[in-house]
Amino acid sequence: MAVMQGARMNDAEILSAWHADGFVMLPGYLSAADLAPAVAELGAMFPSAAGFHDRTDPRSSRYLADEFDGIDLFPFASVEVSLLAVHDRLARLAELLLSDNNIRISSAEAWAKYTGAADYDQNLHRDYLGHTVLVPTTDSDWQQVEMFVYLCDVPEELGPPHLVSRAHAADLPVIPNWYPRADGADPEGGYVSATGRPDLYAAEQSGAGPAGTVIAFTPATVHRGTALTEPRGARFSMQMSYRAASAEWGQRRGWADHSHDPGWYQFVSRANPRQLRLFGFPPPGHPFWTAATVSAMRLRYPDTDWVAWHQGNQFTSE
């Protein structure tokens, strides 16, 4: 399917691509203004390209052992990056793709990759093993959506993900989950195909795009990370997962486990009610909000107007 400019696709076109392919690529979906506050604070989280490649940033050694070593988990050291994870455009896109206005964010990660730091070239695979305790389903009532969000331009030389349309992968069994190009051994007891699938690699589409690109896909979508080849290159991106509130089996992260991190308190002090609802905060007007709980929440989160949540009227339209 031809990739269209994300800012120009209407909802019907986005849904058409989503249903046909199991993913939709939206180049430049977030504007430079949307990204600017988060991008300005990336230095609080990651070395710059020069800082890494010249080894002038003492954090550089962190990225040299494994491709996943560049991942930071929500809440982030930058509150602006945390807020970007629940940007209104991303939440509304998730609502559209999930056909549900009652959604939750089940994970948020920020990822730095550097040319030569690790091997980022992956086998084609699906993410469902880390995103649900069940199995993928095509039922529209129980979908989950993942999103790649580019914080910088990601040309082919900076390792964009490649994705395979469900038109080429719909008949794959739930196991194996990883599909190498060529025949080989299966080190994971049936989860890695011993039979190579060059046909899937021939069908993959590149997700290369400018800063602000959003690629939305399902945990059942066949895809892979690719190698960074640009000399002294660096790639900064985010990956979020959203689900319908009713799909409680799609719990990738437990937010209470992170709710005493300093970054969590900074985020809550800046987030609006709609954003907090994505993490499971009861909506304004919910029976949870009593004089006693409001008083206690004032102690834990003194920078938020919990009285307004108790009254509920102010936010019922959000």
Side-chain angles (χ1 to χ4, degrees), residues 18 22 98 106 125-132 135-137 142-147 166 177 216-223 239 241-243 250 252:
W18 172 255
L98 296 172
S106 53
H125 64 280
R126 296 160 293 193
D127 282 352
Y128 79 90
L129 291 174
H131 287 258
T132 175
V135 294
T137 176
W142 312 115
Q143 289 300 303
Q144 299 168 243
V145 58
E146 298 182 61
M147 296 181 190
R166 61 164 48 116
N177 188 55
F217 61 106
T218 81
T221 300
V222 175
H223 69 287
Q239 184 169 344
S241 299
Y242 291 89
R243 62 176 177 86
R252 182 162 168 80

Side-chain angles (χ1 to χ4, degrees), residues 95-120:
E95 290 174 345
L96 172 68
L97 298 177
L98 296 172
S99 300
D100 198 325
N101 291 329
N102 187 19
I103 65 171
R104 300 289 182 268
I105 185 168
S106 53
S107 72
E109 302 169 355
W111 199 344
K113 295 182 177 184
Y114 302 93
T115 303
D119 183 4
Y120 300 112

